[in-house]
Amino acid sequence: MNRHAPEGVSSSPLTSSPLSSNPLSSTAAASGTVGSTATLRDGAPPPTPATADVAPNHTVHDGADLSVEDGILGALSPSRASDFMTCPLLYRFRVIDRLPERPGLAATRGTVVHAVLEELFDLPALDRTPERAGVLVRPAWERLLAAEPDLAALFTDDADGSALAGWLSSAAELVGRYFTLEDPRRLEPRERELYVETVLDSGLVLRGYVDRLDVANGGAMRVVDYKTGRAPGAGYEAKALFQMRFYALVLWRLRGVVPRLLQLVYLGSGEVLRYEPDEADLRATERKVRALWEAISRAVATGDWRASPSKLCEWCDHKVRCPAFGGTPPPLPTLPLQPGRGAVVDDRTAVDAPTPRQTHFDDV
C-alpha cells in the first residue's frame, strides 16, 4: 500500500493512446472463467434498473440469456458486496425489498464530479485545465437534473439560488483538486466508465463499472477509481481496496493478466492510495466473494437479515425501519426458488454506475 499526498502534480508513465477497438472486448481464456465481457456504456447495453433484481432463474450476460441451467447462480457488484459486509439488512432493503432512497447532496455531487472527470478526457490534451474543467460542472448538473427531475427537490427551499451556487462551487472545488493529484494532459485513458462482467467457475457473475482504465504500451493495466470523500485513516483502507481488488479480479479473468496498479483518487482530502496486486491477492478476493455470496444465500434461505449498526447509520435512508433503532422492516417479499439450490438473489442491477438514487457512503 502506498499512500500519497502530493505537494505538486504527479505524473505517471502508465498511459496509452486510444485504440479504435475495445481491447477488453474479447473473452480471455482465463482459468475459472465461464464467460466474460467488457463493454463501454455507449456500446452493448449492460443490465438496467428495468430488469428485476430478484430473478434467480434468469439473468443476462454478454447479450445472451443465461439461466440456472447454464450454471448461473446470480450476480454481484462491489457496491452490493460492500453493502452486505457493512450491514446485511441494508443489502436486503436495497436488493430484495428494492426500497427507494432519497437523493442526497453528497452522492449527487459525486455523480456530477464523476461526469466532469469523464468528460474532461474528451477534450484535447492541452485543453484539460482546471479552468476548462470548472466550466463543465454546471452543464453536468443540468444534464443530470434533466435525466432525474426529482433531484430538483434538493433545492426546493433555495429561493435565491445561493444554496445551489454553493453546492456547485463545492463540486468545482473537488474537480479542481484533481489537478493537484494528476496531470490529465499527460494521460490518455484506454477506457472510461467501462462496464465489465465475468462469470466465475462457481457460476457467480461479477460485474461493475470501472471509472478509468489506463493501459501502457506493454499492456500493463492501471485501474483508477475516483472518490469524492476523504481517504480512510491508516489501517482502514481494506474496505476501499476490496472494491479495487474486485475490479482487478474481473479484469484478470477477462484478460488473463493481473492489473499492475490499483489507484484510488480521494478528491475530498487530496490523497491517492496505490496498491500493486498479485495473483494470490486476487485468488483470495475470489474466495471472499464466494463466501459473501454463500452468506447472502443463507440469509435469503433463512430470512435472517441482521442489522450492523455503525456511524454510517446516520446517513442511511432506512434507519426509520431498522430494528436497531426501534423500527420494523417491511414483510419479506416472496422469492422464487432455484431447483436444487434454494432461494438466491440475483443482484443484476447493482453495477457501479454513479446514481443519485444510491447513497455513496464514501462520498458522505
Side-chain angles (χ1 to χ4, degrees):
M1 166 70 68
N2 179 14
R3 179 182 291 264
H4 178 53
E7 296 178 357
V9 176
S10 64
S11 61
S12 171
L14 196 59
T15 62
S16 65
S17 299
L19 298 183
S20 58
S21 60
N22 184 347
L24 304 183
S25 60
S26 61
T27 299
S31 172
T33 303
V34 176
S36 53
T37 183
T39 307
L40 284 173
R41 282 194 185 179
D42 56 1
T48 67
T51 308
D53 282 314
V54 183
N57 294 321
H58 186 76
T59 189
V60 177
H61 174 68
D62 200 12
D65 292 340
L66 295 180
S67 66
V68 67
E69 286 76 17
D70 299 298
I72 300 301
L73 295 178
L76 193 63
S77 74
S79 291
R80 297 293 75 78
S82 179
D83 283 347
F84 189 82
M85 290 188 292
T86 298
C87 176
L89 187 58
L90 175 63
Y91 178 97
R92 179 205 143 169
F93 287 153
R94 284 180 166 168
V95 177
I96 298 180
D97 297 290
R98 301 185 68 187
L99 298 177
E101 297 184 353
R102 297 168 298 175
L105 288 170
T108 305
R109 182 179 61 185
T111 302
V112 169
V113 171
H114 276 77
V116 170
L117 293 180
E118 180 183 5
E119 188 179 356
L120 179 67
F121 288 100
D122 289 332
L123 299 175
L126 293 180
D127 291 340
R128 298 171 195 163
T129 64
E131 293 75 21
R132 285 295 303 273
V135 171
L136 299 175
V137 172
R138 181 176 283 274
W141 158 245
E142 291 173 350
R143 289 193 303 271
L144 181 60
L145 182 61
E148 296 278 354
D150 291 350
L151 293 177
L154 292 170
F155 300 101
T156 51
D157 298 326
D158 185 26
D160 62 358
S162 59
L164 174 59
W167 181 81
L168 289 172
S169 177
S170 69
E173 181 180 351
L174 291 172
V175 170
R177 189 169 294 140
Y178 166 73
F179 289 84
T180 70
L181 303 173
E182 288 188 318
D183 185 350
R185 296 172 300 179
R186 302 182 61 181
L187 296 170
E188 291 297 339
R190 181 66 60 88
E191 308 287 4
R192 287 164 287 147
E193 292 296 330
L194 177 69
Y195 175 74
V196 292
E197 177 180 293
T198 193
V199 185
L200 302 179
D201 57 2
S202 63
L204 180 61
V205 178
L206 304 185
R207 53 166 60 117
Y209 279 103
V210 174
D211 283 351
R212 198 181 88 206
L213 183 67
D214 300 334
V215 183
N217 291 332
M221 294 183 290
R222 174 172 59 194
V223 184
V224 180
D225 193 74
Y226 305 118
K227 301 293 186 184
T228 52
R230 300 183 64 83
Y236 292 91
E237 303 96 340
K239 182 177 179 181
L241 280 177
F242 170 77
Q243 173 193 2
M244 300 302 285
R245 288 189 179 108
F246 187 108
Y247 290 140
L249 170 61
V250 175
L251 288 167
W252 178 38
R253 293 306 190 189
L254 284 168
R255 301 197 70 186
V257 177
V258 175
R260 175 74 59 81
L261 187 66
L262 310 179
Q263 181 168 300
L264 283 157
V265 180
Y266 284 94
L267 303 175
S269 55
E271 295 178 81
V272 177
L273 298 184
R274 298 187 178 95
Y275 184 80
E276 298 182 9
D278 56 26
E279 287 194 14
D281 282 330
L282 302 189
R283 293 187 189 281
T285 299
E286 183 171 339
R287 290 193 296 270
K288 182 170 184 175
V289 168
R290 288 177 177 175
L292 279 172
W293 188 255
E294 291 171 0
I296 291 169
S297 300
R298 286 195 299 270
V300 171
T302 63
D304 184 8
W305 298 95
R306 301 185 182 184
S308 298
S310 72
K311 64 180 181 180
L312 298 177
C313 297
E314 293 303 313
W315 293 281
C316 182
D317 277 356
H318 309 295
K319 185 177 179 180
V320 66
R321 58 181 63 90
C322 178
F325 298 93
T328 302
L332 272 166
T334 301
L335 299 178
L337 297 179
Q338 287 189 2
R341 292 181 181 269
V344 178
V345 176
D346 181 7
D347 177 25
R348 71 182 60 210
T349 67
V351 294
D352 292 322
T355 166
R357 298 298 185 186
Q358 173 183 317
T359 300
H360 294 249
F361 285 134
D362 58 284
D363 289 340
V364 172

